[in-house]
Structure formats: structure tokens, C-alpha cells
Amino acid sequence: MSTDKSDAHVTHFIRNIIDTDLAADKFAPRRWAGRPGTRADHDAGTPDVARIRTRFPPEPNGYLHIGHAKSICLNFGLAEEYGGRCHLRFDDTNPEKEEQEYVDSIIDSVKWLGFAFEREGESNLYYASDYFEWMYRFAERLIETGHAYVDSLSAEQMREYRGTLTEPGRDSPYRSRSVEENLALFRDMRAGKFADGAHVLRAKIDMASPNINLRDPALYRIKRGHHHRTGDAWCIYPMYTYAHPLEDALENITHSICTLEFEDQRPFYDWLLEHLRDAGMFADPLPKQYEFSRLNVTYVITSKRHLNQLVTEQHVEGWDDPRMPTIAGMRRRGYPPDALRLFAERTGVSKSPGWIDYGVLEECVRECLNASAERRVAVLDPIKLVLTNYPEDQVETCLAPNHPQQPELGKRELPFSRELWIEREDFFVAPPKGYFRLFPGNKVRLRYAYVVECTGFERDASGKVCTVFATVLMETRSGTPGADSVKVKGNIHWLCAKTSPRAAVRLYDRLFKVPHPGRESGNLIDDLHPESKSTIEAVVEPALLTAAPEASFQFERNGYFVADRIDSRPGRPVFNRAVTLKDSWGSAP
Ligand code: ATP
Ligand code: MG
């Protein structure tokens, strides 16, 4: 069942920019070759039917996390909203760190979130490494027009020449090389005639610019590294800051949305594309970069390097461990995709950095699952309840609605008999004030069944209560005229001891015990929550045995649970707790 939980769209500065652009018909002249290309390719194409083009450009060097989910929802969401297209582009210009496993998991995550890079006959799935030949040609063009040169300073000298935030840089002695010499050297760089690091290709801009990023940034470096797609075809690789604007321009991107760290790179982004436009490589309107503040969530880390550390040092059971803030982990945990989309929308888009409380994410999960998850009963920490006046061999059937707000989902049958399981915490020998559930002499309703009155209890050898005794008030069965004849304040769930099977249930909690892991301790490993996972054998209602992998349920009064998609077997489901019914973090047990 689909739930439309998206809050009414709140406008934000990127929506305002798009509205203004579209109102001015800014993109009317754009043409599209049907695939990425240079100006000549697009000119030969047709008017671009996409009103805007955005892109999500992950580097395939890890699994995506909640921050990436935000970026996916923003970019794909805007494209959907405005009649545009969003490209999934693997920014794989860096050899060695990138792997096919990550490519596959990223494609999977985007689809699972409910977004499509294939739409109306267009498939916008791209690899930046497919553009290497173009990027090389653009570099030659920059050399030919006097906007790039080969520098042969060592890395250390280059740092020295760059200057500081307060002091201007100095021109490299190689800056005045002729176009012919630069071209010859650059071609030899490509041909593999030099050792790694011997030369770099740099843009010729301004070594005195107050923006250090404009002090002749590097465009290409020599690096012999095996690439996951191009193999050993290249021994020079483009720098990220050079490659990224070119990828956007080749793909006809209109709004290139990134996080604030890239704000200082924007002048170079524009410089590069304007020079290549002037050289006839691209057409106006050029893509524009817009920066927003990255998503930070308390109790969560969103650095791939640190997530990788958790996996390789085995603090978690893999990238998709249900405690991980990866999309794969949240999926396994039972967070539905609409909850992540709701969270992305609700947390807004702005330029001011800040932290979102993890509870906001959990609330989105609750809201979506409350609407979509069918109700079931599980007793997580069972003790026996014996109904002493109920006939030994009798079994009757009680009816429980699958969803209290959606009667059309029907009812299910719960067998009821003399011996039941109830939650340990639903009985107290000497209850605290305000406790309305079972204690000797008190009455509660067994939901969908009868009111019972507690008459006693028994302890096991260790002194723990193991059995509670009660009598049934036979005229109070739910759904009969006598149901309201006895008023009670407590209402507890139960399962028939004879017919209810056991199932493994994993109770997950937050992976870190502090809101900013590593901030105060200096080492995020020290801040891991020691009890973030416990596995129990719960009693579950018979219908849960056939739960399909990834089916979500509300276990009444206990929380939202999902049948684990990896470890569940036919007839032997394993349930993961996605979230409790209420925010209980930090409150005493
Ligand atoms: P990490 O620092 O974890 O390696 P990254 O930003 O280097 O992340 P990329 O694969 O380069 O990872 O990111 C792809 C896209 O996701 C980029 O456009 C980036 O801006 C965006 N993104 C990454 N983290 C966040 C975040 N926390 N909030 C919003 N967007 C993010
Ligand atoms: Mg990155």
C-alpha cells in the first residue's frame, strides 16, 4: 500500500531559483543529443524535453548513507516535481578506490528509494570515466587557447609557490612555456613517458587571486592506477574540480546542487565552463552550481571513511548492518523508503549548517509505518498467565483488526485458551502508583478477549515471577453487549500458549551512545553503544511465521518490526525492531 506522507512542499532557495529560471524561460534554447556530448552533439539533437536536469554524482567508493539519501531525494525529487530529469552519474575519475560492488549497491539504493533514472525512453545512468577522452580534448583546447600549462615543480615546491590565505602566490617558472611545448609535454604525459608526479597540467588563471582555488588549480596528474572500468588505458587522470563541471556540461545539467564545501570552487567551475564555451565546446545556458548545507544527524556518522572503519574493524556486521546509517542498513532495519523521503523533505534545504536530531528520523519512520504496517501480536519477554476458571481443553477464536484505522484490511484470528503468554512488564507484585495493569486483585482487559482479574502468582526457583493466575469475567468478551459491563483502565496483549510459536527478534538501539560520536572522546569507537543489539526468542502469533522478507508490522504495544530480508527463512522469520512506538531514548528502563 502506498502512503502519501510527503508534507506539503515547503519552498526553499533552490526551488525559488528554479521557479525564477523557468519563469524567465532560461532553458528554452537548450538542445539534447539524447546522450551526453559537446555543443556540436547537442546542436544536432532536438530541443530538450526536460525542463530542468539535475544529477546525483556519487563516487563509487562506499555504500550510500543518510546524507546521500538527502541528496538523492533533493535531486531526483526536484526533477520529478518540475518535469525534468535527474541523472545518476558515477563520479569514477579516481582510479583504485572504486569498485563494482559499490556501483551495484548505489543503483540498488536509488531504486529502492523510489527514484528512476530511466524515464520516458531516456536512461540517464552515466559514468564520468566514459568522458575521459572528452576531458582530455578539452584540456588540449585550454592549452591551445593559452589557458593551461604543464608545470614541472615538485609537489612541495608547488605548495610553496601557492602562497597562503594572507599572502599571494608566485608564478611557477614553467608558467610561460609556449603552447607548442605545453601540447607536446601534455601528449607525452598521456603517452606514459613520465613518472607519476613528474608533471601536472594546470589552469592558467591568477596566482595572486584572493581565492586560493583560482591560483592555477591542477587539472591533470600522472598516476598509474588500475581503473575499475577503463583498466590501464590511462596513466593521467583529471582532478575532481576539473572533471566535475565538465561532467555537468556534457550532460546538459541545469542545476548542479552540491554541499557547501564546494562554494569556493564555484568561481573555477564558472571559469572553466565559460572558457570552453568561448572555445565552442559548450553552449549557453551553462550549468550553474548551487550549494546547500549538508545533512548532519545526531548519533550518526556520515563519513564513508569512518563507516568503512566500523565495517573493517567489525564493530558492526557489514555495510548493511541494521544499525548502520547506510541506506542498505536502514532498509534492513525496516525503515521504509517513504520515511526517508519524508525526512529529506521535512529537514529542508538551507545554507546554514546545523544538526538534525535522530529522533526526527525515527518520528518519520513511525509516521509512515503507523499508516502502512499491519498489526500483529508478539510477546517479547513472556510469562504465563493461567485462567483458572477457563475450561482446560477449550480454544476459542478472537478477532483482531489488521489495522485499526483501515477496516478494509480485515481481521485475523487469535486463538484464546486457558494458558496464555503475557509480557513480564504487564504484571507487578507490588505495583508503583499509577500502574493499571496486572497485580493481585486488579482487573485488566486482554485485548480482543475478556476482562480478567488477577488472583495470584508463582515464582520460579530463582525467585522470578513465572506464572500469574487470574479468573475470566466470562460476560465481558469484546464485541458482545457485556464488553462494557466492567470498566478497567489497563488493556494488555497476550498469546495462546498452546498454539503460538517462537521467533528470533533483534532489538536494535542507537549505534552510538552520544549525539556527536568522537567529538568529546576523541575516538568514535569509544562512543559505541555497548548494547545496541540484543537478540531474543519472542512468542509470536501464528500468522507471523509466514511473514515475507521485508514485511513490516506493528507489534502491538511494542514497536515496529520488519522480517529481516537476509536471515529470514520460510517458516523461520527473524524480526528486526525498526523503532519503538514512542521515543524512549534516554528515559529510565
Ligand atoms: P563522504 O564524505 O561520506 O565520502 P562524499 O560527499 O564524498 O561523502 P560522494 O559520493 O562524493 O560522497 O557524494 C555524492 C553526493 O552526495 C554529493 O553530491 C554530495 O554533495 C552528497 N552528499 C554527501 N553527503 C551528504 C550529506 N551529509 N548531506 C547532503 N548531501 C550529501
Ligand atoms: Mg566526495
Side-chain angles (χ1 to χ4, degrees):
M1 181 188 56
S2 92
T3 52
D4 186 17
K5 281 263 118 198
S6 58
D7 286 4
H9 284 161
V10 181
T11 197
H12 53 63
F13 77 96
I14 296 182
R15 284 200 175 108
N16 292 341
I17 288 166
I18 298 174
D19 288 337
T20 308
D21 288 345
L22 292 178
D25 246 352
K26 178 174 169 189
F27 306 122
R30 291 164 66 255
R31 301 180 72 81
W32 172 238
R35 59 185 176 284
T38 60
R39 172 174 192 153
D41 299 316
H42 290 309
D43 278 353
T46 52
D48 194 347
V49 292
R51 294 179 75 221
I52 61 169
R53 283 185 192 270
T54 55
R55 85 287 172 268
F56 173 65
E59 187 176 355
N61 62 352
Y63 280 65
L64 300 182
H65 53 61
I66 181 81
H68 295 117
K70 168 98 189 187
S71 179
I72 292 170
C73 292
L74 179 61
N75 282 293
F76 279 92
L78 287 171
E80 272 179 11
E81 193 181 326
Y82 284 98
R85 298 284 188 278
C86 181
H87 299 186
L88 174 57
R89 177 204 307 149
F90 289 103
D91 209 333
D92 58 351
T93 53
N94 210 355
E96 286 171 344
K97 284 197 304 182
E98 297 156 357
E99 284 177 33
Q100 190 61 36
E101 177 195 350
Y102 299 135
V103 169
D104 296 340
S105 82
I106 289 169
I107 291 178
D108 210 48
S109 292
V110 171
K111 288 186 176 166
W112 177 75
L113 276 173
F115 295 109
F117 43 82
E118 275 158 0
R119 273 188 72 188
E120 294 162 47
E122 269 190 37
S123 174
N124 292 301
L125 174 66
Y126 301 113
Y127 293 84
S129 56
D130 288 345
Y131 310 151
F132 280 161
E133 194 60 49
W134 272 318
M135 292 176 182
Y136 176 83
R137 267 170 50 204
F138 298 148
E140 286 205 347
R141 204 78 188 95
L142 290 172
I143 294 172
E144 286 159 4
T145 52
H147 296 300
Y149 63 100
V150 174
D151 198 355
S152 311
L153 291 178
S154 69
E156 197 184 320
Q157 287 170 316
M158 230 176 273
R159 250 193 307 281
E160 217 175 282
Y161 273 78
R162 189 172 298 132
T164 65
L165 284 174
T166 50
E167 280 170 48
R170 285 175 292 139
D171 287 0
S172 160
Y174 302 101
R175 200 175 196 261
S176 49
R177 277 173 166 154
S178 68
V179 167
E180 294 67 33
E181 193 185 354
N182 279 321
L183 263 186
L185 279 170
F186 188 51
R187 285 172 183 164
D188 286 347
M189 280 170 65
R190 175 179 185 167
K193 297 200 180 159
F194 305 116
D196 285 13
H199 308 282
V200 293
L201 183 74
R202 299 178 73 174
K204 192 188 266 189
I205 308 179
D206 178 8
M207 288 304 292
S209 171
N211 181 345
I212 289 190
N213 298 296
L214 292 180
R215 293 182 190 169
D216 293 7
L219 309 181
Y220 265 94
R221 67 209 154 121
I222 307 174
K223 184 179 169 78
R224 285 170 179 79
H226 189 81
H227 188 280
H228 79 123
R229 281 171 63 88
T230 58
D232 298 313
W234 293 86
C235 65
I236 57 172
Y237 286 96
M239 306 300 289
Y240 177 82
T241 46
Y242 173 69
H244 201 87
L246 301 180
E247 295 158 19
D248 286 345
L250 287 164
E251 291 179 23
N252 245 3
I253 299 303
T254 54
H255 301 82
S256 176
I257 301 166
C258 63
T259 45
L260 277 176
E261 311 90 88
F262 294 97
E263 197 168 17
D264 291 344
Q265 296 287 356
R266 186 172 2 108
F268 176 69
Y269 184 104
D270 292 336
W271 179 95
L272 179 64
L273 295 187
E274 282 161 16
H275 279 81
L276 289 169
R277 172 200 58 199
D278 295 346
M281 298 295 167
F282 301 125
D284 279 319
L286 295 170
K288 288 285 170 200
Q289 174 180 307
Y290 302 98
E291 309 88 18
F292 74 106
S293 159
R294 65 187 289 118
L295 173 72
N296 296 309
V297 186
T298 58
Y299 297 95
V300 158
I301 50 169
T302 51
S303 137
K304 275 185 222 152
R305 191 166 59 83
H306 286 139
L307 292 174
N308 203 344
Q309 183 190 0
L310 294 178
V311 174
T312 50
E313 293 178 6
Q314 300 184 359
H315 301 291
V316 294
E317 293 159 29
W319 284 100
D320 67 348
D321 185 300
R323 292 163 295 178
M324 287 283 271
T326 51
I327 297 180
M330 293 187 288
R331 173 178 182 177
R332 246 188 113 177
R333 176 76 176 262
Y335 288 13
D338 50 348
L340 298 186
R341 292 202 302 268
L342 177 61
F343 178 68
E345 184 66 28
R346 195 168 275 178
T347 49
V349 179
S350 85
K351 279 190 170 285
S352 38
W355 287 82
I356 303 291
D357 191 84
Y358 194 75
V360 175
L361 174 58
E362 291 182 317
E363 200 45 44
C364 292
V365 173
R366 281 187 198 104
E367 276 183 47
C368 291
L369 288 176
N370 181 40
S372 64
E374 289 201 1
R375 274 48 172 172
R376 295 289 183 271
V377 177
V379 179
L380 302 185
D381 185 7
I383 55 171
K384 265 285 168 63
L385 174 67
V386 177
L387 304 172
T388 50
N389 65 335
Y390 196 87
E392 288 275 355
D393 298 325
Q394 187 169 318
V395 178
E396 65 185 295
T397 301
C398 299
L399 290 178
N402 286 323
H403 197 295
Q405 282 90 45
Q406 295 172 53
E408 67 277 14
L409 292 178
K411 294 186 173 185
R412 63 198 197 280
E413 297 183 346
L414 287 177
F416 182 91
S417 64
R418 177 185 166 92
E419 294 199 6
L420 306 175
W421 294 113
I422 60 169
E423 296 285 353
R424 178 173 297 282
E425 63 172 31
D426 284 337
F427 172 78
F428 261 82
V429 176
K433 200 165 175 285
Y435 185 87
F436 298 121
R437 290 169 270 163
L438 275 179
F439 54 87
N442 197 40
K443 298 190 189 79
V444 294
R445 171 163 294 282
L446 300 177
R447 54 172 52 175
Y448 319 123
Y450 297 92
V451 172
V452 297
E453 177 169 4
C454 181
T455 52
F457 63 94
E458 210 168 73
R459 297 181 195 268
D460 65 13
S462 72
K464 271 172 80 176
V465 172
C466 57
T467 309
V468 177
F469 299 98
T471 50
V472 182
L473 281 63
M474 295 306 276
E475 74 286 3
T476 60
R477 193 181 152 139
S478 298
T480 65
D484 292 329
S485 61
V486 180
K487 292 272 180 255
V488 291
K489 287 189 175 166
N491 176 325
I492 68 173
H493 63 276
W494 50 271
L495 284 171
C496 168
K498 243 185 241 162
T499 53
S500 303
R502 298 251 170 187
V505 174
R506 297 167 181 158
L507 303 176
Y508 291 108
D509 216 322
R510 296 183 186 181
L511 184 55
F512 290 98
K513 56 184 187 231
V514 297
H516 303 288
R519 185 189 276 185
E520 254 147 59
S521 63
N523 179 0
L524 60 102
I525 301 305
D526 294 342
D527 292 334
L528 284 166
H529 181 4
E531 280 135 39
S532 56
K533 174 184 178 185
S534 61
T535 304
I536 58 171
E537 282 283 315
V539 183
V540 300
E541 66 170 88
L544 281 171
L545 274 196
T546 52
E550 286 206 89
S552 286
F553 302 98
Q554 184 194 94
F555 288 180
E556 296 185 24
R557 300 179 62 232
N558 273 317
Y560 294 98
F561 292 74
V562 68
D564 189 273
R565 58 191 290 255
I566 310 285
D567 297 329
S568 293
R569 296 282 168 274
R572 282 241 7 109
V574 175
F575 293 99
N576 300 332
R577 180 169 70 195
V579 67
T580 52
L581 284 184
K582 286 192 209 109
D583 186 0
S584 57
W585 176 258
S587 60

